[in-house]
């Protein structure tokens, strides 16, 4: 079972609204679940009622649990190890960029300040990750272990 649902992990209400608006303006009508802090994101992704997502848009500077910790825990869990994750952040820290890729992020995008450019960036992310990219089906721990080289 694959999913087309997006998990948006964003603590800034304005950025949340902009992202949702940008998706809608670009006819990316996939269902979106919003987590407003890292702890909530982990509950949604790894908790008792966890379900698969087609894409996670992950901010870094989050309350409760930092975005890189969310990414690290996702990559450590067989249920979310292969889920596409795009870091969408305002951080200009090179250490965040390097750490994100070292932990297995699929893409790292700095949020443009300009609304038009932000909308364009979100549209391109959605088009690529939800329409062009093929994701593997969710795998159980034994199946994932067997798939390792």
């Amino acid at each position: 079972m694959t999913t087309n649902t997006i998990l948006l992990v964003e603590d800034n209400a304005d950025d949340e609204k902009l992202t949702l608006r940008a998706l809608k303006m670009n006819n990316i009508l996939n269902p979106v679940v919003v987590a407003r802090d890292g702890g909530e994101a982990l509950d949604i992704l790894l908790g008792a009622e966890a379900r698969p997502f087609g894409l996670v848009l992950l901010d870094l500077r989050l309350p409760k649990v930092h975005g890189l910790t969310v990414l690290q825990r996702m990559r450590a869990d067989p249920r979310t190890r292969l889920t596409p994750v795009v870091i969408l952040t305002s951080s200009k820290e090179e250490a965040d960029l390097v750490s994100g890729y070292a932990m297995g992020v699929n893409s790292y995008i700095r949020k443009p300040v300009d609304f038009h450019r932000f909308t364009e960036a979100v549209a391109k992310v959605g088009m690529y990750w939800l329409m062009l990219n093929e994701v593997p089906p969710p795998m159980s721990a034994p199946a994932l272990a067997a798939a390792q080289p």
Side-chain angles (χ1 to χ4, degrees):
M1 174 183 82
T2 59
T3 181
N4 63 353
T5 303
I6 300 166
L7 176 61
L8 173 61
V9 187
E10 176 61 66
D11 65 314
N12 181 302
D14 290 335
D15 285 352
E16 175 189 332
K17 288 176 190 169
L18 285 176
T19 303
L20 295 174
R21 184 173 176 207
L23 291 168
K24 187 175 182 179
M25 285 175 54
N26 288 282
N27 295 315
I28 300 168
L29 305 176
N30 301 57
V32 179
V33 174
V34 178
R36 292 179 178 87
D37 64 58
E40 184 180 3
L42 289 172
D43 286 344
I44 291 169
L45 289 161
L46 306 174
E49 309 225 355
R51 61 187 177 115
F53 286 89
L55 176 65
V56 175
L57 299 175
L58 179 64
D59 193 11
L60 291 184
R61 307 280 186 249
L62 297 167
K64 296 186 182 176
V65 178
H66 192 276
L68 289 174
T69 302
V70 172
L71 176 63
Q72 183 179 39
R73 291 190 188 163
M74 286 181 68
R75 293 305 184 230
D77 191 293
R79 297 170 294 174
T80 55
R81 183 171 295 149
L82 301 178
T83 302
V85 177
V86 174
I87 291 176
L88 188 58
T89 184
S90 56
S91 173
K92 294 186 182 347
E93 297 294 322
E94 187 174 313
D96 287 339
L97 174 71
V98 172
S99 294
Y101 278 110
M103 292 179 189
V105 75
N106 297 95
S107 183
Y108 188 104
I109 298 172
R110 289 194 176 103
K111 295 177 191 172
V113 177
D114 174 77
F115 173 73
H116 177 70
R117 292 185 65 204
F118 181 84
T119 301
E120 188 176 289
V122 170
K124 288 178 181 178
V125 165
M127 293 294 210
Y128 177 78
W129 289 105
L130 297 167
M131 297 179 147
L132 295 175
N133 186 58
E134 285 196 42
V135 298
M139 291 196 227
S140 64
L144 189 59
Q148 298 296 321

